[in-house]
Amino acid sequence: MYVARSKKNVDDSDGSLFIRFKSSVGTDKTIGYCSTGKWQHPKPEVWGNTRNVSKYKPFCILSDISEEKKSENFKMVENFLRKYDIKVLNVSGHRYNRTSDLKDNQVQIQRFLTDCFKYIYKL
């Protein structure tokens, strides 16, 4: 179910923004899918160039959305959206569940995305 939905989200978007704090099979394979059009782990060069090494769909990976990286990340996302003329953005990352250690990051991610789009679109 998650695989089909993840692939459809990529297929139906112009590009994907990944918020990836740690290795994760689903997130990593979704990045691989963006990169190649096949459901697989991405090749090692993907991690060295988070802006885009895609043959299928453009993507951007953020692994640190701390306050210290805020300005840099906002600019990276803005450049990504403009460079690839992204109109429909797929935002992807680790799956949330009640036992996840990522539960506390949900608020941080929501705040980051809200602030990022306010910055980009001058809202």
Side-chain angles (χ1 to χ4, degrees):
M1 176 175 159
Y2 291 111
V3 173
R5 185 181 68 195
S6 295
K7 288 167 79 173
K8 182 163 178 38
N9 288 343
V10 169
D11 293 339
D12 291 349
S13 71
D14 298 317
S16 295
L17 172 64
F18 291 94
I19 299 175
R20 180 187 180 270
F21 298 120
K22 63 182 184 175
S23 180
S24 163
V25 173
T27 300
D28 294 354
K29 285 189 174 185
T30 306
I31 293 168
Y33 184 67
C34 281
S35 183
T36 64
K38 296 177 184 166
W39 191 254
Q40 62 188 21
H41 281 282
K43 299 201 181 311
E45 60 267 20
V46 166
W47 306 123
N49 178 358
T50 58
R51 285 184 166 68
N52 194 40
V53 291
S54 178
K55 293 179 180 171
Y56 182 59
K57 290 278 189 155
F59 61 91
C60 178
I61 304 168
L62 302 177
S63 58
D64 179 355
I65 59 169
S66 65
E67 217 31 59
E68 298 78 37
K69 294 274 201 168
K70 188 161 124 174
S71 179
E72 177 185 332
N73 285 333
F74 287 0
K75 289 174 185 167
M76 184 185 295
V77 172
E78 181 177 27
N79 291 338
F80 170 72
L81 295 174
R82 295 194 194 295
K83 179 177 181 177
Y84 297 101
D85 194 29
I86 305 293
K87 302 287 188 245
V88 177
L89 178 66
N90 173 41
V91 178
S92 183
H94 306 291
R95 184 172 28 158
Y96 168 81
N97 64 49
R98 280 179 272 168
T99 61
S100 171
D101 61 338
L102 299 167
K103 185 162 72 172
D104 295 334
N105 292 327
Q106 183 178 7
V107 171
Q108 180 189 12
I109 292 167
Q110 289 172 336
R111 184 175 301 125
F112 170 81
L113 290 171
T114 300
D115 292 347
C116 184
F117 292 116
K118 282 181 180 178
Y119 167 85
I120 294 169
Y121 297 107
K122 316 295 186 243
L123 301 174

